[in-house]
Amino acid sequence: MLPNKNTKRAHRARGFSIVEAVTVITVASILCAIAIPQMVAQRRLFRTSAISREIMVQLRYARQMALARRMAYTFEYDNATKQIRIIGPIPAGTAPLVDPTYPNLVGSSAIVTMPLTQSGLSRSEIVEGVPTTSTGLPAGSPTIPTGPLGDGVSRSSLTSGKFYVTFQPDGGVIDATGAPSDKALFFFNNKAAQDTATAVSVLGVSGRVKIWRYKTSGNAYAE
């Protein structure tokens, strides 16, 4: 006997069976377990990429200030606090670079102070240098090169845990002898070391600032 209309309505009213509900919940849980880690990883990559952009922007701002004011301005990265500052103005030339109070010379002040953790990253995640297997690089990954970047600039040593770039009034960067001085800051997020290895370089002659990101395809930093 064919079911009548009342029987059909009764079947519809009962909704999903317990088996069907459990199946839906199980599938949804599996999809969430797959999607959530990917979302977290993508958010980490985005936030770390924002750091390199911020460093580039502030380096260029320091250079712009030096050109506009015809005075030297210093970009400072503090590896302990994961904070950047722009300090100035300071006199042009080599003398301020060897002054014991550099970069906080008399008459200068921090015109920009910015923590790199404001995007939600913790200090422990931001690591200065090139990743190795002991600092987050996955086992079996190619060794990331530590040599010069494509523009010939090598990683700069930190001075008391800090990285300095002082732009002269012509936009260039010099050392204590007056010679052009190239600078490069390397860093990565130790939660995704291979995917976030990045460098920012400054050419001493011109003061040009570039961002470099590590590419697994060529096992090199690419502009």
Side-chain angles (χ1 to χ4, degrees):
M1 183 176 64
L2 295 174
N4 57 33
K5 292 182 180 180
N6 290 334
T7 304
K8 290 181 179 180
R9 283 198 293 269
H11 280 302
R12 286 198 296 268
R14 286 201 299 270
F16 292 110
S17 68
I18 294 177
V19 173
E20 290 171 329
V22 170
T23 301
V24 170
I25 293 172
T26 301
V27 172
S29 299
I30 293 172
L31 292 175
C32 287
I34 295 173
I36 290 176
Q38 293 179 340
M39 291 172 61
V40 171
Q42 287 301 316
R43 185 172 61 180
R44 182 176 292 117
L45 292 176
F46 177 78
R47 289 177 173 176
T48 306
S49 296
I51 288 177
S52 58
R53 289 193 297 270
E54 189 62 52
I55 290 174
M56 180 186 69
V57 167
Q58 296 303 330
L59 279 165
R60 288 179 173 174
Y61 179 63
R63 182 175 183 271
Q64 179 185 345
M65 289 295 295
L67 288 167
R69 299 286 301 275
R70 306 305 298 170
M71 296 286 285
Y73 279 80
T74 298
F75 170 95
E76 175 194 83
Y77 163 74
D78 189 325
N79 195 44
T81 62
K82 311 301 180 183
Q83 179 175 275
I84 57 179
R85 295 194 303 164
I86 296 177
I87 305 166
I90 64 175
T94 61
L97 303 179
V98 296
D99 190 299
T101 62
Y102 173 84
N104 303 299
L105 284 78
V106 175
S108 68
S109 61
I111 61 173
V112 172
T113 300
M114 181 174 297
L116 295 178
T117 54
Q118 63 182 357
S119 61
L121 298 175
S122 67
R123 290 183 185 178
S124 61
E125 288 183 71
I126 306 170
V127 183
E128 186 274 334
V130 178
T132 65
T133 52
S134 64
T135 56
L137 192 65
S141 300
T143 300
I144 297 180
T146 58
L149 297 165
D151 55 2
V153 181
S154 299
R155 176 188 171 194
S156 300
S157 299
L158 300 184
T159 302
S160 299
K162 296 180 180 180
F163 170 81
Y164 298 111
V165 181
T166 297
F167 293 95
Q168 299 297 314
D170 63 356
V173 180
I174 60 174
D175 61 19
T177 69
S181 179
D182 299 333
K183 303 279 187 176
L185 177 65
F186 287 66
F187 63 94
F188 60 95
N189 186 314
N190 60 14
K191 301 296 185 181
Q194 189 176 51
D195 295 327
T196 59
T198 309
V200 180
S201 66
V202 181
L203 292 173
V205 172
S206 63
R208 183 182 178 187
V209 182
K210 301 179 184 179
I211 290 181
W212 305 80
R213 303 189 191 283
Y214 174 72
K215 302 294 184 182
T216 54
S217 56
N219 191 32
Y221 286 86
E223 187 179 356

